[in-house]
Amino acid sequence: MTQARQIAERLLDAQVDFLLAEVTGDRFAEVIARDVAAVLAVGDTIVFGDVVPLDQGEQTVATVFDRIGGSPVIADTVGIFADAIYDHIAANTEYTLGDVVEREPVEALLEKIFGMHQAQERILDRLTESPLVATVASRFVDKLIGDFVQANRERAEKIPGVSSLMSLGQSAANRAKKVADSTFVGDLAGKGALFALKRTNNAIRDMLRDAPVHSAAMEFWDLHADEPVAGLREYLTQKDLNELVQLCYEIAVTTREKEYFSLLVRECVEVFHQKYRDHTLTAMLPELGLTAEDISTEILRYGPAVIEAAKRNGVLATLLRERLEPFFLSDQVLAILTPE
């Protein structure tokens, strides 16, 4: 049995050396290409729906959103990424906004937004239900009227004798206002605010439907399209961008924890599963925009450095030996190697 064990240990050494050679130099690329092709060949015989049941797929996606979506890595890097982007934008004058974003999709997006009349009507209708919004609209209308009156007053006061009449009218108006605030006339304020809101809404409707808003928006885009991307920093400071990103991240994280979000995720998984359940695993790769060459390239991009580091410190050889030793030193193998 001692001789058999020695032979087994020599075979084990040879096997470890062989596997180490498989991941060394140019041979590693050949092995990866061979194994990827083999895996895809196997994947072409396996149907997605057979190996990924709907309930397990839902659990996997839920885990991804729950664990990765709220991981400390993302939380720590959100602000750092925002600062890095701002620094790059602030320093980059080589590209214009038009180089980065095509005009056609922007035009189509704005056309779609301005053409969503149902959404606009619904939003405007809901605004009328808010007393505070009505008050804001009332002040907005009052401001427009006040500015108009003030402009005309300044013109009128240049005429001799009109200045005294304007003062008299203003005094009468102030007394009327005090009476209104202390009587039932004051109740009209709420109705006035609502009326102002409706007038404002009507103006918005007319503007969105009849005015050349889309053309005006595209003119605004064209004004910026030829300017350097660095010009975007004029709209907000680095602190503003950082805080906006942090707030958006907080909204995403807190929304992710809600039960309704889980229902949305589950529905999306069900739709995906329904569409691709009859595809083989290999047939799904083109749907994801991937090829066998893409997979091999990405493995070879990072694999050699990781493997070489593991070889240098002896970790890889140790792991291979730990996995193979139970087989080579098993009673069954030793019995085979023992002379009759």
Side-chain angles (χ1 to χ4, degrees):
M1 184 64 70
T2 300
Q3 183 180 3
R5 185 178 181 86
Q6 292 175 348
I7 296 174
E9 290 177 346
R10 290 170 57 191
L11 289 173
L12 173 60
D13 292 338
Q15 180 72 73
V16 171
D17 292 340
F18 173 81
L19 293 176
L20 289 175
E22 288 279 271
V23 294
T24 300
D26 295 338
R27 178 59 182 159
F28 185 53
E30 298 174 7
V31 171
I32 292 300
R34 178 200 67 193
D35 291 348
V36 167
V39 170
L40 293 181
V42 173
D44 205 27
T45 66
I46 301 174
V47 177
F48 174 72
D50 293 340
V51 296
V52 183
L54 178 59
D55 58 338
Q56 294 184 11
E58 292 174 349
Q59 293 175 7
T60 298
V61 174
T63 300
V64 170
F65 277 104
D66 182 53
R67 304 294 172 79
I68 299 179
S71 65
V73 171
I74 296 180
D76 292 342
T77 55
V78 163
I80 297 175
F81 287 158
D83 291 340
I85 291 173
Y86 190 92
D87 289 339
H88 181 67
I89 290 176
N92 192 310
T93 57
E94 299 178 6
Y95 298 96
T96 66
L97 187 58
D99 293 331
V100 178
V101 182
E102 295 289 337
R103 188 181 193 276
E104 288 76 12
V106 172
E107 185 174 14
L109 175 62
L110 292 175
E111 183 176 0
K112 180 60 180 178
I113 292 175
F114 293 130
M116 296 171 61
H117 299 308
Q118 180 178 346
Q120 296 163 9
E121 292 287 342
R122 182 57 177 164
I123 292 173
L124 293 174
D125 289 341
R126 291 307 299 267
L127 286 175
T128 60
E129 301 174 10
S130 171
L132 183 58
V133 174
T135 301
V136 172
S138 178
R139 292 180 179 177
F140 174 72
V141 173
D142 289 345
K143 176 64 175 174
L144 291 179
I145 296 175
D147 289 347
F148 176 78
V149 171
Q150 179 62 29
N152 283 278
R153 174 188 296 170
E154 291 175 356
R155 295 191 184 96
E157 287 180 344
K158 295 179 181 179
I159 302 174
V162 173
S163 178
S164 298
L165 292 175
M166 296 291 291
S167 299
L168 179 62
Q170 183 64 47
S171 177
N174 290 336
R175 288 196 300 271
K177 183 178 184 299
K178 291 181 180 180
V179 173
D181 290 339
S182 60
T183 64
F184 74 95
V185 179
D187 296 336
L188 295 177
K191 295 181 180 180
L194 183 59
F195 174 77
L197 178 58
K198 290 182 178 180
R199 294 291 294 173
T200 305
N201 287 351
N202 290 335
I204 294 174
R205 286 189 180 95
D206 293 340
M207 180 187 69
L208 292 176
R209 297 202 174 193
D210 300 330
V213 179
H214 179 264
S215 298
M218 290 311 302
E219 284 187 6
F220 178 80
W221 167 263
D222 291 335
L223 287 173
H224 291 77
D226 295 331
E227 295 181 358
V229 175
L232 295 175
R233 71 186 187 277
E234 297 177 5
Y235 286 91
L236 73 171
T237 65
Q238 185 173 36
K239 183 174 181 291
D240 290 332
L241 177 62
N242 186 290
E243 291 178 351
L244 283 173
V245 171
Q246 293 284 4
L247 290 171
C248 291
Y249 173 73
E250 183 65 22
I251 291 174
V253 170
T254 54
T255 302
R256 172 187 58 88
E257 298 171 351
K258 299 297 188 294
E259 182 179 355
Y260 184 72
F261 181 77
S262 300
L263 296 177
L264 294 177
V265 171
R266 188 176 302 117
E267 181 65 23
C268 292
V269 173
E270 290 179 2
V271 171
F272 182 89
H273 193 274
Q274 178 70 23
K275 182 175 182 179
Y276 294 105
R277 64 183 179 184
D278 295 328
H279 287 58
T280 64
L281 298 182
T282 301
M284 291 182 63
L285 288 181
E287 300 289 337
L288 298 173
L290 295 174
T291 65
E293 184 179 356
D294 294 330
I295 297 175
S296 298
T297 298
E298 293 307 317
I299 294 175
L300 292 173
R301 192 188 306 277
Y302 307 104
V306 174
I307 297 241
E308 286 302 317
K311 285 173 61 179
R312 283 195 302 270
N313 57 26
V315 172
L316 183 58
T318 300
L319 289 175
L320 290 173
R321 184 173 296 278
E322 289 177 352
R323 299 299 184 273
L324 296 173
E325 189 175 60
F327 167 75
F328 282 99
L329 299 184
S330 64
D331 293 340
Q332 183 178 10
V333 172
L334 293 177
I336 293 173
L337 297 176
T338 299
E340 296 292 343

